[in-house]
Amino acid sequence: MSTRPYDRPAASRSIGPPAIDDRPVVGAPVAAVLTAAASGPGGSAAAIQRPLVRVRDLRTYFWTLGGVVKAVDGVSFDVPAAGTLGVVGESGCGKSITALSMMRLIDRPGRIVAGEVVLDATNLLSLSEQEMRPLRGGRISMIFQEPMTSLNPVMSIGSQIVEAIRLHDEATPREAQERAVEMLQSVGIPDPMRRSRQFPHQMSGGMRQRVMIAMALSSRPDLLIADEPTTALDVTIQAQILELMKRIRQERRMSIMLITHDLGVIADMADDVVVMYAGKVVEAGSADELFERPHHPYTQGLLASLPRLGERRRRLQVIEGVVPNPLRLPAGCLFADRCERAMPICRHTPPPLQRVGGAHLSRCWLTPDGDNALVSPDAPPELAEEDAIRLSVPDAGRTTLDPATLSVV
């Protein structure tokens, strides 16, 4: 994404966020939606303990010539301390933009318009860029999707890790070099001294991913955000990378936020799971609850599409259709056009994010038992909206935004 401000010639009509200073505009404090839900029976141990990071009502919009794209629209979740949160969903659901928003790496024409990302009682979205810089790559590190495009092709591997170490720690060049070699050894790279002098193109995909992990861990972060860390790797290397991440998490007692579309990886790695669709959280809960009792039809469709060992099927189940156009989102449930259980109410009223058991939340009109909604199919939208408010998890202080008031035409 370009770092240049989004602008157009003065003679033409332009669309973009209003002129602001370097700090993002942050909405009013939002109640602890998932923390409150986790206090109920049935929540996982990771969800009940005090989280490392709390994300509340996060909204990131992009201003385009076609209109405002709500890439992330009211997302809330907790990252458990010393645990792993899995964020799953198909491409275009807002997973990566959520992570980039947490790191404050959103460029124009995008902008974080509301929400909170709280680390140790500090809202990262209220910090200036100068205050944020030591935290980014320091206490929170990120592994990006494609290591070949994330590593500098004209710098040796060791030089890039040394640069990351010296940026966040007061270390001499010699100390930083020794730590870089130690980090390469800790992630399983053989002959780390020789490898530290090599360049990215001289390494395999699995080796480059290990280098990215070593670089991200070099500052001893509290949270590691891994965005599709096993993409384009064969299954053997993928298993090695996942085992490496689990070992490092246990040794360092750090948290991991794992972003992927692979439910097999989520089942192996995650303590808690957030399922995203079209910029919203549609289901959240412990990994055990979500895999044993999925509630939302989208989650059920994702699980049903997985092949199972020993089961013979002529064809895998698929979810028909595609994610809706973000410029023309439906008025009701965002998944209604692809849902086999869609009801009339789903077409005109957004569903509530309701508690379906313990810390298990689902944004769906189906009852907690999976039955059709009790609202009459002929009920007017205003009555359906009242019912949605009644069913929703308490969320006092929610920020209400009108994109029209945020754009300049």
Side-chain angles (χ1 to χ4, degrees):
M1 188 180 297
S2 172
T3 58
R4 295 172 54 189
Y6 180 76
D7 53 21
R8 285 170 58 81
S12 64
R13 299 181 65 189
S14 63
I15 299 175
I20 56 172
D21 59 15
D22 289 338
R23 295 192 182 198
V25 175
V26 182
V30 182
V33 185
L34 300 186
T35 303
S39 62
S44 68
I48 293 175
Q49 69 177 338
R50 185 172 181 270
L52 174 69
V53 177
R54 294 184 295 110
V55 177
R56 294 292 177 266
D57 199 33
L58 181 63
R59 298 168 187 260
T60 302
Y61 297 170
F62 289 81
W63 278 258
T64 71
L65 292 176
V68 179
V69 174
K70 300 178 181 179
V72 176
D73 193 21
V75 167
S76 298
F77 57 80
D78 293 336
V79 180
T84 298
L85 172 72
V87 182
V88 67
E90 59 193 301
S91 298
C93 288
K95 307 184 300 297
S96 296
I97 295 297
T98 298
L100 293 173
S101 299
M102 293 172 64
M103 296 283 287
R104 293 271 302 276
L105 292 175
I106 299 297
D107 293 328
R108 299 275 182 130
R111 179 179 155 215
I112 303 170
V113 298
E116 294 180 336
V117 178
V118 180
L119 172 66
D120 290 343
T122 300
N123 182 11
L124 303 184
L125 303 187
S126 66
L127 301 179
S128 66
E129 178 60 27
Q130 185 176 1
E131 293 169 327
M132 182 66 193
R133 190 171 292 119
L135 297 177
R136 185 193 298 126
R139 296 198 60 190
I140 304 178
S141 290
M142 185 169 179
I143 304 172
F144 296 94
Q145 286 193 26
E146 177 49 58
M148 193 61 188
T149 59
S150 301
L151 294 170
N152 191 328
V154 297
M155 290 180 64
S156 67
I157 294 300
S159 298
Q160 296 184 60
I161 300 178
V162 166
E163 183 181 49
I165 292 173
R166 298 198 66 194
L167 184 63
H168 296 283
D169 292 337
E170 294 182 359
T172 65
R174 187 182 193 85
E175 292 171 340
Q177 179 63 38
E178 291 174 353
R179 274 182 56 184
V181 174
E182 290 174 4
M183 291 306 306
L184 291 176
Q185 186 174 19
S186 70
V187 297
I189 292 182
D191 197 1
M193 179 62 76
R194 181 176 66 86
R195 291 289 189 178
S196 69
R197 294 190 290 266
Q198 293 184 335
F199 293 84
H201 70 273
Q202 295 176 287
M203 293 187 167
S204 66
M207 285 286 192
R208 288 194 292 266
Q209 195 63 278
R210 290 173 186 268
V211 169
M212 289 297 298
I213 295 174
M215 190 179 303
L217 297 177
S218 63
S219 59
R220 303 182 179 93
D222 297 317
L223 171 62
L224 175 65
I225 301 176
D227 188 1
E228 302 279 6
T230 57
T231 297
L233 300 180
D234 62 60
V235 291
T236 303
I237 302 301
Q238 173 178 300
Q240 293 175 0
I241 294 297
L242 294 179
E243 284 300 319
L244 170 63
M245 293 177 63
K246 285 194 288 187
R247 175 176 63 80
I248 291 174
R249 187 195 75 175
Q250 294 170 355
E251 291 176 353
R252 303 192 175 212
R253 300 292 299 167
M254 70 176 184
S255 300
I256 295 177
M257 178 176 165
L258 178 62
I259 299 171
T260 182
H261 61 271
D262 190 335
L263 284 170
V265 171
I266 292 293
D268 184 43
M269 291 284 294
D271 300 305
D272 297 315
V273 183
V274 167
V275 181
M276 290 189 65
Y277 185 78
K280 289 184 178 292
V281 173
V282 296
E283 190 160 4
S286 70
D288 290 341
E289 286 178 320
L290 194 133
F291 278 90
E292 291 176 9
R293 293 177 295 278
H295 181 269
H296 197 282
Y298 179 60
T299 309
Q300 294 174 2
L302 292 177
L303 291 172
S305 66
L306 291 175
R308 286 172 171 77
L309 191 63
E311 181 179 343
R312 297 178 64 87
R313 283 190 286 179
R314 295 184 63 183
R315 293 190 62 182
L316 293 176
Q317 184 172 328
V318 298
I319 303 175
E320 300 291 343
V322 295
V323 179
N325 186 333
L327 293 173
R328 291 185 292 276
L329 294 174
C333 175
L334 301 177
F335 188 63
D337 291 340
R338 307 175 67 187
C339 182
E340 296 180 352
R341 301 197 60 184
M343 301 168 284
I345 190 175
C346 302
R347 304 292 180 182
H348 59 70
T349 305
L353 181 64
Q354 60 173 316
R355 183 183 290 113
V356 296
H360 191 176
L361 307 178
S362 177
R363 191 181 301 276
C364 186
W365 276 113
L366 297 176
T367 67
D369 294 329
D371 299 324
N372 286 349
L374 301 179
V375 182
S376 169
D378 301 324
E382 55 268 20
L383 291 182
E385 290 173 4
E386 292 178 6
D387 214 59
I389 294 173
R390 179 179 60 80
L391 290 171
S392 294
V393 172
D395 189 4
R398 173 175 288 279
T399 305
T400 302
L401 296 172
D402 180 2
T405 65
L406 298 172
S407 61
V408 177
V409 180

